[in-house]
Amino acid sequence: MKLAVIGATGPTGQFVVSEALAKGYNVVAVVRNPDKLTTQHENLKVVVADLKDSAQLVEPFSGCDAVLSAIGTKGGMFNPVDIYTVVGKAAVTAMRESGVKRLIFVTSWGTKDDPGLPFLMRWILHPTYLRHIMPNLADFEDFVAGECQVIIYTFVKPPYLKNYPSCEKPLQVSEGQVVENCETQNISRQDVAKFMLLCLESDVYNNKLMAIAARK
Protein backbone atom coordinates (compact mmCIF):
# COMPACT_ATOMS: atom_id res chain seq x y z
CA MET A 1 0.00 0.00 0.00
CA LYS A 2 1.20 3.49 -0.83
CA LEU A 3 0.14 6.41 1.36
CA ALA A 4 0.48 10.16 1.05
CA VAL A 5 0.79 11.96 4.39
CA ILE A 6 0.23 15.69 4.88
CA GLY A 7 1.12 17.27 8.18
CA ALA A 8 3.94 14.72 8.26
CA THR A 9 6.39 16.94 10.15
CA GLY A 10 4.05 17.60 13.07
CA PRO A 11 4.08 15.58 16.31
CA THR A 12 1.19 13.35 15.21
CA GLY A 13 2.20 13.23 11.57
CA GLN A 14 5.65 11.89 12.42
CA PHE A 15 3.99 8.96 14.19
CA VAL A 16 1.78 8.39 11.15
CA VAL A 17 4.87 8.16 8.97
CA SER A 18 6.80 5.87 11.31
CA GLU A 19 3.85 3.55 12.00
CA ALA A 20 3.07 3.26 8.28
CA LEU A 21 6.68 2.42 7.49
CA ALA A 22 6.71 -0.16 10.30
CA LYS A 23 3.75 -1.86 8.62
CA GLY A 24 5.69 -2.09 5.37
CA TYR A 25 3.81 0.63 3.50
CA ASN A 26 5.35 3.04 1.03
CA VAL A 27 4.96 6.60 2.26
CA VAL A 28 5.05 9.91 0.43
CA ALA A 29 5.46 12.67 3.01
CA VAL A 30 4.31 15.97 1.54
CA VAL A 31 5.92 18.74 3.58
CA ARG A 32 6.75 22.42 3.55
CA ASN A 33 10.01 22.05 5.46
CA PRO A 34 11.82 18.73 4.91
CA ASP A 35 14.33 19.50 7.66
CA LYS A 36 11.61 18.90 10.26
CA LEU A 37 11.17 15.26 9.21
CA THR A 38 14.07 13.29 10.66
CA THR A 39 12.88 9.83 9.63
CA GLN A 40 14.85 8.13 6.89
CA HIS A 41 13.71 4.91 5.22
CA GLU A 42 13.98 3.23 1.85
CA ASN A 43 10.16 3.24 1.57
CA LEU A 44 9.86 6.95 2.41
CA LYS A 45 9.80 9.68 -0.21
CA VAL A 46 9.76 13.30 0.94
CA VAL A 47 8.18 15.86 -1.40
CA VAL A 48 8.30 19.59 -0.75
CA ALA A 49 5.05 21.36 -1.68
CA ASP A 50 2.70 24.14 -0.68
CA LEU A 51 -0.16 22.27 1.00
CA LYS A 52 -2.56 25.08 0.10
CA ASP A 53 -1.92 24.66 -3.63
CA SER A 54 -3.80 21.69 -5.07
CA ALA A 55 -1.72 21.77 -8.26
CA GLN A 56 1.40 20.98 -6.22
CA LEU A 57 -0.29 18.00 -4.55
CA VAL A 58 -1.45 16.14 -7.65
CA GLU A 59 1.87 14.56 -8.51
CA PRO A 60 2.79 13.33 -4.99
CA PHE A 61 -0.75 11.94 -4.54
CA SER A 62 -0.69 10.09 -7.87
CA GLY A 63 -0.46 6.34 -7.45
CA CYS A 64 -1.32 6.47 -3.75
CA ASP A 65 -4.06 4.36 -2.19
CA ALA A 66 -4.98 6.96 0.44
CA VAL A 67 -4.22 10.41 1.79
CA LEU A 68 -3.72 10.75 5.55
CA SER A 69 -3.79 14.17 7.17
CA ALA A 70 -2.40 15.13 10.56
CA ILE A 71 -2.24 18.86 9.88
CA GLY A 72 -2.65 21.10 12.90
CA THR A 73 -2.29 24.63 14.16
CA LYS A 74 -1.57 26.41 17.41
CA GLY A 75 -4.31 28.28 19.15
CA GLY A 76 -7.27 30.07 17.72
CA MET A 77 -8.41 32.33 20.51
CA PHE A 78 -7.62 35.68 18.90
CA ASN A 79 -6.91 34.96 15.25
CA PRO A 80 -9.22 33.35 12.66
CA VAL A 81 -8.32 29.83 11.58
CA ASP A 82 -8.79 28.49 8.06
CA ILE A 83 -5.95 25.98 7.68
CA TYR A 84 -8.23 22.94 7.82
CA THR A 85 -10.61 24.07 5.11
CA VAL A 86 -7.92 25.61 2.90
CA VAL A 87 -5.47 22.70 3.07
CA GLY A 88 -8.25 20.12 3.24
CA LYS A 89 -10.02 21.42 0.13
CA ALA A 90 -6.71 21.61 -1.74
CA ALA A 91 -6.05 17.99 -0.81
CA VAL A 92 -9.51 16.88 -1.94
CA THR A 93 -9.11 18.71 -5.25
CA ALA A 94 -5.75 17.00 -5.80
CA MET A 95 -7.25 13.64 -4.83
CA ARG A 96 -9.92 14.01 -7.48
CA GLU A 97 -7.36 14.89 -10.14
CA SER A 98 -4.98 12.09 -9.15
CA GLY A 99 -7.67 9.44 -8.69
CA VAL A 100 -7.19 8.87 -4.94
CA LYS A 101 -10.48 8.17 -3.18
CA ARG A 102 -9.58 7.36 0.45
CA LEU A 103 -9.07 10.13 3.01
CA ILE A 104 -8.18 9.74 6.70
CA PHE A 105 -8.22 13.12 8.45
CA VAL A 106 -7.55 13.95 12.11
CA THR A 107 -9.93 16.47 13.67
CA SER A 108 -11.04 16.40 17.32
CA TRP A 109 -13.68 15.53 19.83
CA GLY A 110 -16.47 18.07 19.75
CA THR A 111 -16.05 19.88 16.47
CA LYS A 112 -19.75 20.45 17.02
CA ASP A 113 -21.33 20.84 20.43
CA ASP A 114 -22.37 17.69 22.23
CA PRO A 115 -23.72 17.31 25.79
CA GLY A 116 -21.41 14.36 26.31
CA LEU A 117 -18.28 16.49 26.02
CA PRO A 118 -16.18 16.98 29.18
CA PHE A 119 -17.00 20.16 31.10
CA LEU A 120 -13.54 21.68 30.55
CA MET A 121 -13.68 21.12 26.82
CA ARG A 122 -17.28 22.18 26.28
CA TRP A 123 -17.54 25.23 28.50
CA ILE A 124 -14.00 26.55 28.86
CA LEU A 125 -11.69 25.54 26.01
CA HIS A 126 -14.19 25.64 23.14
CA PRO A 127 -15.44 29.19 23.84
CA THR A 128 -11.90 30.50 24.34
CA TYR A 129 -8.71 28.82 23.12
CA LEU A 130 -10.46 26.63 20.53
CA ARG A 131 -13.22 29.01 19.48
CA HIS A 132 -11.89 29.46 15.92
CA ILE A 133 -10.33 26.03 15.46
CA MET A 134 -13.43 23.91 16.09
CA PRO A 135 -15.72 25.70 13.61
CA ASN A 136 -13.07 25.41 10.92
CA LEU A 137 -12.69 21.69 11.57
CA ALA A 138 -16.48 21.30 11.48
CA ASP A 139 -16.70 23.22 8.22
CA PHE A 140 -14.27 20.82 6.56
CA GLU A 141 -16.05 17.76 7.94
CA ASP A 142 -19.33 19.09 6.55
CA PHE A 143 -17.74 19.92 3.20
CA VAL A 144 -16.38 16.40 2.71
CA ALA A 145 -19.53 14.67 3.93
CA GLY A 146 -21.86 16.88 1.89
CA GLU A 147 -19.99 17.72 -1.29
CA CYS A 148 -17.36 15.03 -1.87
CA GLN A 149 -19.35 11.91 -2.66
CA VAL A 150 -16.47 10.32 -4.57
CA ILE A 151 -14.23 10.54 -1.49
CA ILE A 152 -14.35 7.71 1.06
CA TYR A 153 -13.52 9.50 4.28
CA THR A 154 -12.91 8.82 7.94
CA PHE A 155 -12.54 11.69 10.38
CA VAL A 156 -10.52 10.49 13.35
CA LYS A 157 -11.53 12.48 16.41
CA PRO A 158 -9.20 12.22 19.44
CA PRO A 159 -9.43 14.10 22.75
CA TYR A 160 -6.38 15.67 24.44
CA LEU A 161 -3.22 14.57 22.61
CA LYS A 162 -0.16 13.49 24.56
CA ASN A 163 3.34 12.47 23.54
CA TYR A 164 3.60 9.36 25.68
CA PRO A 165 3.85 5.87 24.10
CA SER A 166 0.91 3.80 22.87
CA CYS A 167 -1.31 2.22 25.51
CA GLU A 168 -0.92 -1.02 23.51
CA LYS A 169 -4.61 -1.81 23.98
CA PRO A 170 -7.64 -1.63 21.65
CA LEU A 171 -9.00 1.89 21.75
CA GLN A 172 -12.48 2.91 22.82
CA VAL A 173 -14.27 3.97 19.65
CA SER A 174 -17.62 5.68 19.12
CA GLU A 175 -19.22 7.19 16.04
CA GLY A 176 -19.92 10.86 16.64
CA GLN A 177 -18.43 13.72 18.61
CA VAL A 178 -17.20 12.07 21.80
CA VAL A 179 -16.55 8.76 23.55
CA GLU A 180 -18.81 9.02 26.57
CA ASN A 181 -17.87 7.41 29.89
CA CYS A 182 -14.37 6.75 28.61
CA GLU A 183 -11.57 5.55 30.85
CA THR A 184 -9.34 8.54 30.10
CA GLN A 185 -9.65 11.81 28.15
CA ASN A 186 -6.01 11.72 27.04
CA ILE A 187 -4.62 9.73 24.15
CA SER A 188 -1.13 9.27 22.76
CA ARG A 189 -0.34 10.55 19.32
CA GLN A 190 1.03 7.12 18.53
CA ASP A 191 -2.35 5.54 19.23
CA VAL A 192 -4.01 8.08 16.95
CA ALA A 193 -1.60 7.15 14.17
CA LYS A 194 -2.23 3.44 14.71
CA PHE A 195 -5.99 3.95 14.51
CA MET A 196 -5.66 5.95 11.30
CA LEU A 197 -3.87 3.01 9.70
CA LEU A 198 -6.40 0.58 11.12
CA CYS A 199 -9.10 2.50 9.24
CA LEU A 200 -7.44 1.46 5.99
CA GLU A 201 -7.73 -2.25 6.76
CA SER A 202 -11.54 -2.41 6.85
CA ASP A 203 -14.57 -0.59 5.49
CA VAL A 204 -16.15 -0.44 8.98
CA TYR A 205 -15.12 3.19 9.41
CA ASN A 206 -15.89 4.38 5.88
CA ASN A 207 -17.70 7.73 5.65
CA LYS A 208 -17.87 8.17 9.42
CA LEU A 209 -16.77 10.55 12.14
CA MET A 210 -15.03 8.31 14.68
CA ALA A 211 -14.32 9.56 18.19
CA ILE A 212 -11.55 7.60 19.88
CA ALA A 213 -10.12 7.33 23.38
CA ALA A 214 -7.34 5.37 25.03
CA ARG A 215 -7.66 2.75 27.74
CA LYS A 216 -5.84 2.84 31.05
Side-chain angles (χ1 to χ4, degrees):
M1 187 176 292
K2 184 178 180 181
L3 309 177
V5 180
I6 59 176
T9 59
T12 302
Q14 297 216 33
F15 275 115
V16 176
V17 171
S18 61
E19 291 294 324
L21 292 170
K23 293 177 75 69
Y25 297 153
N26 291 296
V27 177
V28 180
V30 188
V31 303
R32 290 170 294 181
N33 184 354
D35 294 334
K36 292 184 177 180
L37 186 61
T38 57
T39 302
Q40 294 184 348
H41 195 283
E42 61 182 358
N43 291 335
L44 173 63
K45 179 180 180 181
V46 180
V47 177
V48 178
D50 181 353
L51 301 181
K52 298 179 180 180
D53 183 354
S54 62
Q56 295 187 36
L57 301 179
V58 174
E59 183 175 350
F61 285 5
S62 296
C64 291
D65 298 288
V67 173
L68 283 68
S69 171
I71 61 170
T73 188
K74 294 182 179 179
M77 185 172 180
F78 300 109
N79 299 315
V81 171
D82 65 1
I83 185 173
Y84 300 104
T85 49
V86 172
V87 173
K89 289 180 179 181
V92 167
T93 298
M95 288 174 67
R96 286 170 170 159
E97 294 186 24
S98 59
V100 183
K101 295 184 178 181
R102 189 73 173 96
L103 175 67
I104 313 290
F105 200 105
V106 177
T107 59
S108 171
W109 275 16
T111 50
K112 294 184 178 179
D113 188 41
D114 188 290
L117 289 169
F119 179 87
L120 177 65
M121 184 178 287
R122 189 182 188 196
W123 298 111
I124 298 177
L125 292 179
H126 280 201
T128 56
Y129 185 71
L130 301 174
R131 69 190 184 98
H132 293 303
I133 292 177
M134 290 301 169
N136 192 237
L137 286 169
D139 285 347
F140 184 62
E141 290 175 346
D142 288 345
F143 168 75
V144 173
E147 301 182 38
C148 303
Q149 285 77 13
V150 298
I151 301 296
I152 302 171
Y153 65 87
T154 305
F155 286 104
V156 176
K157 302 169 72 68
Y160 305 110
L161 294 168
K162 299 294 183 179
N163 292 324
Y164 48 67
S166 168
C167 68
E168 301 296 347
K169 298 177 181 178
L171 300 181
Q172 300 173 91
V173 179
S174 177
E175 187 174 358
Q177 294 293 331
V178 62
V179 177
E180 296 190 39
N181 303 313
C182 60
E183 296 177 16
T184 173
Q185 294 170 12
N186 298 325
I187 189 169
S188 82
R189 297 178 187 274
Q190 185 177 17
D191 279 325
V192 175
K194 287 185 174 185
F195 183 77
M196 292 172 73
L197 296 172
L198 178 65
C199 290
L200 297 173
E201 299 173 1
S202 167
D203 61 2
V204 172
Y205 305 116
N206 286 5
N207 297 332
K208 292 179 180 180
L209 281 67
M210 300 306 306
I212 59 175
R215 296 187 184 273
K216 292 183 178 179

